[in-house]
Amino acid sequence: SLRSLEVFDLVGVTALDLSPGEDLLWGKGEGFKYSSGQYLYLNVPAISSFEWHPFTISSAPSDGKVTCHIKMAPTGDTSFTGKLLNLAKSGLAPQALQVNVDGPYG
């Protein structure tokens, strides 16, 4: 979806885990408050400046980090999640990955 008139948090990714559940993990800023069961939209400019994708927040609100477990879509390498997995496999340091966050919602 196109999201252009809102203010987003720019976050630093601290880990990209290539286990079967593919984790995207970043440090939680003071202003990022959420409840169990909420979701957010992620944008990764290295993949597309205009694509935003919803993911459920899988960490507890009391955790010091925000985690989204991301599984590659069945469409494979051409999907957003496939491109994210390939980006992670490319050897890019997780700290170098820019991620924009819109949320939480729900």
Side-chain angles (χ1 to χ4, degrees):
S1 65
L2 183 61
R3 311 176 84 73
S4 61
L5 299 176
E6 301 179 37
V7 176
F8 308 104
D9 292 326
L10 184 63
V11 297
V13 174
T14 57
L16 275 175
D17 181 0
L18 298 178
S19 63
E22 276 80 276
D23 293 348
L24 183 62
L25 179 71
W26 63 86
K28 181 170 67 170
E30 288 295 318
F32 193 82
K33 307 262 188 245
Y34 64 96
S35 300
S36 297
Q38 288 192 300
Y39 66 97
L40 49 75
Y41 287 91
L42 294 180
N43 165 261
V44 181
I47 296 173
S48 172
S49 298
F50 303 107
E51 288 184 38
W52 290 82
H53 296 268
F55 295 100
T56 300
I57 301 169
S58 55
S59 53
S62 59
D63 290 351
K65 301 206 180 285
V66 178
T67 304
C68 292
H69 284 78
I70 300 171
K71 183 176 180 181
M72 189 168 76
T75 54
D77 289 346
T78 60
S79 68
F80 173 81
T81 53
K83 291 175 184 176
L84 182 59
L85 181 60
N86 288 333
L87 190 61
K89 287 181 177 178
S90 74
L92 176 71
Q95 297 81 4
L97 183 63
Q98 178 183 331
V99 177
N100 298 312
V101 176
D102 180 17
Y105 294 100

